[in-house]
């Protein structure tokens, strides 16, 4: 049976405007997927990146701003999910400007936020009711890269777990480095371990990463400035670049990469191109984890900031055309076919999808 999904979209919007949108991807007659908006929530400014708790009860959002309550820095917000609506629990200041990514750590009771403009990582405690507690640590990066326009200073874009989940890899576009921090649960701190940092060629601008589904020591990193995907071996205290592949056709210009995701079974890896406005697909070798380019398709929208794989459907969040477009994804060969379906959404920049248990159980 094809599964139904619930999706959350984050966007750039003023606090009084609807910035977080909820959708259901359900199967109509004949099993054809249909995307329907079920709510649009206001209350926080520029909720550009979202994360949902593993039990589906809470949603967390950045507030991608330069100031929070009159002080320098952006914010983070917590919401309780009530079926087809959200209730704002609270907000906190990150003490870092333009936070653009966040990661809830429910097992240890923390929340991490990547602050792009200031180049720092914020660490908060999470309360039992899902709300965000005190800021318990802030790690400031330093340095710059060779691209004077984009790498004049550190720019942290993403934070994700290491393979053993004992630490964080924090991706810094501005200094061409992924910095490693051990999570000190007892003291609520991030402890740097520079020996485990991953250094990239100058000017490539690493942005986001995913880990191989089976070989967790393999990391796939999308580089925003050079429009490439790097395959990194990061185990045993030694990090090595195993492969770097372009996301673009030859002679393509004026592009920056954005999102990177694996298919549900981990057999295909996809990365989005902004400027070329396409999604590139690579097959993941089951033995080595290395990548082979299999195809590329246009997103039928400008600036695909993010996309979401939901089984045999892929959805593209097109920031500069205010649309979410829908495509068929062949889970056997990784081919993407346009379904000529779209929904309007103001400046969508993040898509988070999860299997909709209620809808699937009720057979709707």
């Amino acid at each position: 049976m094809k599964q139904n999904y619930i999706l959350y979209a984050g966007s750039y919007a003023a606090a009084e405007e609807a910035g977080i949108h909820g959708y259901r991807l359900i199967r109509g007659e004949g099993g054809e997927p249909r995307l329907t908006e079920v709510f649009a929530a206001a209350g926080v400014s520029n909720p550009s990146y979202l994360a949902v708790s593993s039990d589906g009860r809470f949603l967390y959002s950045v507030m991608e701003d330069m100031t929070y309550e009159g002080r320098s820095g952006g914010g983070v917000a917590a919401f309780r999910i009530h079926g087809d609506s959200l209730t704002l629990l609270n907000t906190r200041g990150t003490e870092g400007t333009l936070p653009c990514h966040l990661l809830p750590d429910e097992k240890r009771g923390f929340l991490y936020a990547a602050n792009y403009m200031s180049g720092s990582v914020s660490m908060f405690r999470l309360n039992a009711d899902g709300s965000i507690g005190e800021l318990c640590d802030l790690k400031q990066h330093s340095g710059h890269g060779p691209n004077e326009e984009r790498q004049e200073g550190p720019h942290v874009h993403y934070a994700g777990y290491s393979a053993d989940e004992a630490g964080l890899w924090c991706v810094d576009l501005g200094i061409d480095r992924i910095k490693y921090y051990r999570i000190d649960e007892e003291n609520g701190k991030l402890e740097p371990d520079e020996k485990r940092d991953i250094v990239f060629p100058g000017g490539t601008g690493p942005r986001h990463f995913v880990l191989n589904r089976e070989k967790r020591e393999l990391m796939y990193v999308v580089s925003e400035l050079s429009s490439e995907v790097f395959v990194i071996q990061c185990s045993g205290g030694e990090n090595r670049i195993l492969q770097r592949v372009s996301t673009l056709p030859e002679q393509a210009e004026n592009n920056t990469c954005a999102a990177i995701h694996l298919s549900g079974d981990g057999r295909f890896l996809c990365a989005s191109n902004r400027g070329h406005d396409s999604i590139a697909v690579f097959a993941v070798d089951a033995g080595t984890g290395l990548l082979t380019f299999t195809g590329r398709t246009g997103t039928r929208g400008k600036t695909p900031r993010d996309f979401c794989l939901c089984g045999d459907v892929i959805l593209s969040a097109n920031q500069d055309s205010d649309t979410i477009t829908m495509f068929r994804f062949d889970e056997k060969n990784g081919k993407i076919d346009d379904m000529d379906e779209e929904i309007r959404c103001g400046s969508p920049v993040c898509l988070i999808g999860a299997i909709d248990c209620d809808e699937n159980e009720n057979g709707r």
Side-chain angles (χ1 to χ4, degrees), residues 108 110 123 166 182-191:
R108 285 172 285 237
F110 298 114
M123 180 180 186
R182 182 181 62 84
I183 301 168
D184 182 348
E185 180 177 357
E186 181 178 355
N187 297 303
K189 300 294 180 182
L190 294 174
E191 298 297 335

Side-chain angles (χ1 to χ4, degrees), residues 143-156:
H144 60 86
N147 186 321
E148 295 181 359
E149 182 179 355
R150 295 294 312 279
Q151 296 182 308
E152 80 294 344
H155 295 305
V156 184

